[in-house]
Amino acid sequence: MLPDKLLARLTTRHQAGSMRELKVISNLIDFASNDYLGYARHKYDIACISNGATGSRLLTGQSILHQQVEEKVAHFHEAESALLFNSGYDANLGLISSVALRGDLILYDELVHASIRDAINLSYARALKFRHNDLGHLSILLEKFSDGDDRNVYIITESVFSMDGDTPNLVALVELAQTVGNAHIILDEAHATGVIGNKGQGAAQAYDLNQDIFARVVTFSKSLGCHGAAVLGGFDLTQYLVNYARSFIYTTALPQHALHTILAAYDQLQQDEKSVQQLQSLIAQFNKMIVQNGLRLRFRESVTPIQLCIIKGNERTRRASQQLAEAGFDVRPILSPTVPAGHERLRICLHTFNTPQQCEELLQKLANIIKEL
């Protein structure tokens, strides 16, 4: 039996209408997944030598293939070095918890991913949040708290925020960080890889900032349609993480079939610039359709595949999602406490395999649903 205190927490979720459940949804038009370029649908011809990695990379799990993948990822993203992790969650956990030491300071955007928040909690550094994409607030915190003997300051943000679809002003952020000699930027590029830039290399490269950023986290589970992640940075950062990142040291390495899939996905991304451009074109069309359907005030402005329609209220948002499903569209509700109460929304994800006609039909149906709500 589950202890009473835990049962009480589940009851609270039920009463708030925010109970999370695992569901399998099929035969609907996909406007929900992170498979922005459709790579997860591809079937690569991959011959695997083995199924398992047999151990952590510091024991028996290391292979030449791991090195080849890391070299390819580093080259594509114009980084000195890349270190593979089993997921983006593991990468953020290992990176942040190991580099931010006692006496250091972490300044993080208030809307960063849960993996970043958990990593911050595992570090021994002091942590303060700044208002979302508010560089004025960040500047005040830097001026007030960055001084200290042997103190490093880590500024953490995302290039595309997964629940809002918006982006920070990275150029201004880097300029601000450079006014503080001990500041280091950590940038989560999970939802920018394969999306931003001519080749989908991410926001740092799109703005020629990769040399000014201490560490970037790229994940392969969104646009690349496979599994795993990498931390990009200098050779010395990689060496440090191999020695101190616990989520790297104490876990079994990625298996060879996962590594071959990552290689194949990067090969495809390098050869297929049209897909990135096609996605960016669809995003621009979708934003025009929002206005044409009278939904501009409902949607957050976004130049990314993540488009947010604010509904408010868990029950209303869930009902809107269900009605869209009945019309053939897979659009997921984002409920509190995942987002703050009063900010519940439908999260619409665009993909290269979505057509303009499907987008128009989705928005027309959504406009009618909102009128009824």
Side-chain angles (χ1 to χ4, degrees), residues 266-302:
Y266 268 97
D267 283 339
Q268 186 165 340
L269 191 58
Q270 285 179 307
Q271 299 163 10
D272 185 23
E273 292 183 25
K274 289 184 178 179
S275 289
V276 178
Q277 295 165 4
Q278 178 186 345
L279 179 63
Q280 293 170 347
S281 175
L282 184 66
I283 294 167
Q285 291 179 68
F286 191 84
N287 274 282
K288 291 179 181 178
M289 294 177 191
I290 289 172
V291 175
Q292 292 166 357
N293 283 277
L295 293 169
R296 180 73 279 169
L297 295 179
R298 285 280 184 173
F299 274 77
R300 298 273 179 89
E301 291 192 22
S302 172

Side-chain angles (χ1 to χ4, degrees), residues 92 104 109 113 167 170 243:
N92 277 326
D104 291 340
D109 188 291
H113 191 266
T167 60
L170 283 182
N243 281 273

Side-chain angles (χ1 to χ4, degrees), residues 23 25 28 32 311 314-335 345-347 362 365-366 369 373:
K23 296 180 180 179
I25 297 178
L28 298 180
I311 301 293
N314 281 349
E315 184 55 36
R316 285 159 52 89
T317 307
R318 186 184 285 110
R319 201 182 333 145
S321 174
Q322 290 172 346
Q323 291 181 31
L324 287 174
E326 291 167 3
F329 301 104
D330 186 4
V331 175
R332 303 300 173 93
I334 307 299
L335 311 175
R345 74 280 305 266
L346 296 174
R347 181 178 185 264
L362 168 68
K365 180 63 178 177
L366 180 58
I369 289 171
L373 290 174

